[in-house]
Amino acid sequence: MYGMVGARRSSKVMWTIVLIGVVLLACCVVFPFIWMILTSLKTGEEINRLPPTMLPEVWNFKNYPEAWMKPESTFQRYFINTVIIAGLGTALQLLVCVPIAFAITHFNFRGKNLIFMLVVVTMLIPFDVTLVPNFVTMRHIPLAGGNDWAGSGGQGFYDSYMGIMLPFLAEAFTIFLLRQAFLSVQKEYWEAAQVDGMSNRRYLWTVLLPLVLPSLITT
């Protein structure tokens, strides 16, 4: 009986220590966010003051509308650009990568494995290496932004949303991720759809994509 009581006490002490450790780690994680919010409400002079102050002497809530509207900050423009590029760019990337992954996993054609291997190999190329070639390509893309058929005379997709999104529409990691997700779906669904006379497009949008929704959300 005494042994059981001692074991329970040891278990409670252990869980108490673990709980204290988790709380301390949570405070370490949350503190930078709290500090960021409090700092955003200070004046520039108070931000640079040493030693720093925890709470603002004057709570300047006007900092937020000024950061949003001031021409020298243009945070509003930056935010809109981010929403457009991240939202529209992701949607266009899925429209390109989903059919590619679907074709690789559900159809047999010559060179299928080679194509997928080449896609995966591009993941080994560092992003920094592709910056200059992508810029030159977008700048001299034919018949865009005033360019002629040879890619000269205009600015192409320079300084445009498409210039940022286009090089990444056929993203290798997205194709790889969707391919693995499509392969995890049982082939019986595909065979049953073919027996029922379902078109490939309808099977993709009504059966396959809902089954791999977590992978789409991850993308």
Side-chain angles (χ1 to χ4, degrees):
M1 184 69 179
Y2 178 76
M4 294 179 60
V5 174
R8 290 179 179 176
R9 288 181 178 177
S10 299
S11 178
K12 289 183 179 180
V13 171
M14 181 62 67
W15 278 110
T16 301
I17 295 174
V18 171
L19 180 60
I20 293 174
V22 171
V23 171
L24 291 176
L25 290 175
C27 291
C28 292
V29 173
V30 173
F31 177 76
F33 293 96
I34 297 176
W35 181 264
M36 177 182 62
I37 294 174
L38 294 176
T39 302
S40 68
L41 298 174
K42 299 177 182 179
T43 61
E45 179 184 357
E46 189 177 358
I47 291 174
N48 297 318
R49 184 179 302 170
L50 291 176
T53 58
M54 182 67 182
L55 297 177
E57 294 180 354
V58 179
W59 296 75
N60 293 294
F61 291 99
K62 65 179 182 179
N63 289 344
Y64 284 93
E66 287 182 359
W68 183 265
M69 300 298 296
K70 267 191 174 182
E72 58 266 29
S73 298
T74 61
F75 181 79
Q76 181 183 15
R77 183 71 262 173
Y78 299 156
F79 184 80
I80 294 174
N81 289 345
T82 300
V83 171
I84 293 175
I85 294 173
L88 181 60
T90 301
L92 293 176
Q93 187 180 108
L94 286 176
L95 287 177
V96 173
C97 294
V98 166
I100 295 175
F102 180 65
I104 291 176
T105 54
H106 288 75
F107 299 100
N108 293 318
F109 53 90
R110 183 177 299 177
K112 179 177 72 172
N113 295 329
L114 177 62
I115 292 175
F116 178 70
M117 183 184 68
L118 293 175
V119 169
V120 173
V121 166
T122 60
M123 297 173 60
L124 303 177
I125 303 175
F127 172 75
D128 297 339
V129 176
T130 64
L131 285 177
V132 174
N134 283 337
F135 173 79
V136 174
T137 301
M138 294 298 101
R139 178 69 174 77
H140 296 284
I141 195 166
L143 303 178
N147 285 342
D148 55 20
W149 63 271
S152 302
Q155 64 177 8
F157 286 139
Y158 172 73
D159 196 22
S160 66
Y161 294 126
M162 187 56 65
I164 300 176
M165 294 184 293
L166 187 59
F168 307 100
L169 293 187
E171 179 67 27
F173 178 76
T174 302
I175 296 173
F176 174 78
L177 180 66
L178 293 175
R179 174 186 179 272
Q180 299 305 115
F182 290 168
L183 289 177
S184 66
V185 178
Q186 297 179 357
K187 292 185 178 180
E188 285 76 7
Y189 289 104
W190 172 242
E191 295 171 355
Q194 289 182 315
V195 171
D196 292 339
M198 182 180 294
S199 64
N200 298 331
R201 183 184 302 175
R202 184 179 178 186
Y203 170 78
L204 173 63
W205 291 103
T206 62
V207 179
L208 187 59
L209 290 184
L211 292 175
V212 298
L213 185 59
S215 296
L216 294 178
I217 295 175
T218 301
T219 300

